[in-house]
Amino acid sequence: MAKILRAIKPNAGIRAKYRRRLEDMIDDMQRSVGWWLRAEYRKQEAAIVQDSWVGDLVKRIGALFRYWMRRWRRKMEAYATDFVDATERKTRNSMKQALRDAGITVRMDRTRVENNVVKALIAENVNLIKSIPQQYFTEVTEAVMRSASTGRDVESLMEELGKRYKITRNRAKLIARDQSNKATEAVKRVESRQLGITEGIWVHVPGTKSSRKTHMAMNGKRFNLEEGMYDSAVKKKVLPGELVACNCTFRAVIPEFGD
């Protein structure tokens, strides 16, 4: 009779550390941009409707964006690498323990295949982190241009900037949670393949706003770890954690010898 391993979920501590790092950078960036815009608006308030000043301000925002991109670039590789490496180690250790709990002792070391998966995960995280200041400054520039064209005062602009800040922070929170799920599931699948495990049982993990009806229906069903399960909502086969904000995971199915 096949043995079913317990479900292994993402580590909350690793995810929280990653999220805090992103949020700290966002907080610093918001304070810097807010202070700078207040100073510029007060300096040029009398000339706010002049096109020449608006164009000059947009150029200066571009310089500020380049400054912050340099700061993010100095951090993003280290943040992504620390996060993925920690997730990989924790997931592998959790799988070892789950196997021991099932009466199976195996040696599990990082292989070339897993190295490639880790590199891909790091690259994906670097791109996502890079997109945070890019999207933020695009929205800031648009807000400044709208404010200037309608003659709004600096306080109205700061209110708009506060809204952009909340959206950016929420996006960082989503990135941390989503990448934690994806990295954990990717490592589990690699380790499972190396152990000759080909099937899993889908475990639906509900989220506050992320429970999909199709995934609720998948709960408890057996599927191939290479293929995933067909999701009628997206018209294709998917794996646990693959879709954005999917918290689902799987329980590895270990067949008995001769099955």
Side-chain angles (χ1 to χ4, degrees):
M1 183 177 178
K3 291 185 177 180
I4 312 296
L5 298 187
R6 60 179 172 81
I8 296 166
K9 298 178 182 178
N11 183 268
I14 295 172
R15 181 182 64 220
K17 179 182 177 181
Y18 184 49
R19 188 186 79 189
R20 281 196 304 271
R21 283 178 156 180
L22 299 183
E23 289 175 341
D24 286 348
M25 286 289 287
I26 292 168
D27 292 350
D28 288 346
M29 184 171 65
Q30 171 76 1
R31 282 191 292 268
S32 170
V33 172
W35 180 89
W36 185 85
L37 281 175
R38 278 185 183 277
E40 286 297 313
Y41 257 64
R42 284 170 179 165
K43 190 190 305 179
Q44 299 290 344
E45 208 158 27
I48 197 167
V49 295
Q50 295 179 7
D51 291 339
S52 59
W53 177 75
V54 174
D56 185 51
L57 182 60
V58 170
K59 287 180 183 177
R60 293 185 185 185
I61 292 173
L64 190 62
F65 164 66
R66 289 189 292 275
Y67 163 78
W68 272 101
M69 279 305 299
R70 287 194 296 272
R71 287 194 59 175
W72 279 89
R73 284 194 183 100
R74 286 196 292 267
K75 302 282 188 180
M76 61 180 66
E77 189 78 36
Y79 288 175
T81 301
D82 287 352
F83 164 70
V84 173
D85 281 348
T87 300
E88 188 266 343
R89 286 193 303 272
K90 183 64 178 176
T91 303
R92 183 153 24 92
N93 289 336
S94 295
M95 282 197 72
K96 282 182 184 178
Q97 187 58 55
L99 286 162
R100 280 196 292 267
D101 293 344
I104 303 168
T105 301
V106 294
R107 180 183 176 87
M108 296 171 67
D109 297 310
R110 186 188 281 190
T111 63
R112 180 181 59 79
V113 174
E114 192 164 342
N115 269 330
N116 291 337
V117 169
V118 167
K119 287 177 182 177
L121 289 168
I122 290 172
E124 181 179 358
N125 274 266
V126 166
N127 285 331
L128 285 169
I129 294 171
K130 188 190 300 181
S131 73
I132 293 173
Q134 288 173 335
Q135 186 170 322
Y136 172 82
F137 271 94
T138 296
E139 293 172 348
V140 167
T141 303
E142 291 172 353
V144 168
M145 293 179 71
R146 282 196 301 271
S147 180
S149 65
T150 57
R152 294 166 65 190
D153 61 19
V154 68
E155 294 307 323
S156 297
L157 178 58
M158 289 302 107
E159 185 179 341
E160 179 67 20
L161 196 64
K163 293 176 183 176
R164 297 302 98 195
Y165 165 66
K166 288 180 181 177
I167 291 170
T168 304
R169 243 177 166 261
N170 285 337
R171 185 160 177 264
K173 184 179 179 180
L174 173 61
I175 287 172
R177 185 177 70 248
D178 192 53
Q179 287 301 299
S180 183
N181 292 339
K182 283 180 168 55
T184 301
E185 293 304 307
V187 172
K188 282 167 55 184
R189 288 194 299 272
V190 171
E191 293 289 0
S192 294
R193 285 200 298 270
Q194 315 229 98
L195 293 170
I197 300 169
T198 60
E199 291 185 313
I201 294 176
W202 194 288
V203 178
H204 173 256
V205 181
T208 306
K209 299 178 181 179
S210 59
S211 284
R212 293 174 167 87
K213 289 183 179 179
T214 48
H215 291 202
M216 292 169 68
M218 294 174 185
N219 188 57
K221 292 183 179 178
R222 201 154 158 165
F223 69 99
N224 186 293
L225 292 177
E226 292 284 348
E227 299 175 0
M229 290 191 72
Y230 183 75
D231 185 341
S232 58
V234 293
K235 306 284 191 295
K236 65 176 184 178
K237 287 186 176 182
V238 299
L239 292 159
E242 179 182 344
L243 300 181
V244 175
C246 174
N247 298 317
C248 296
T249 183
F250 69 90
R251 299 178 66 191
V253 178
I254 304 178
E256 289 288 344
F257 290 113
D259 282 3

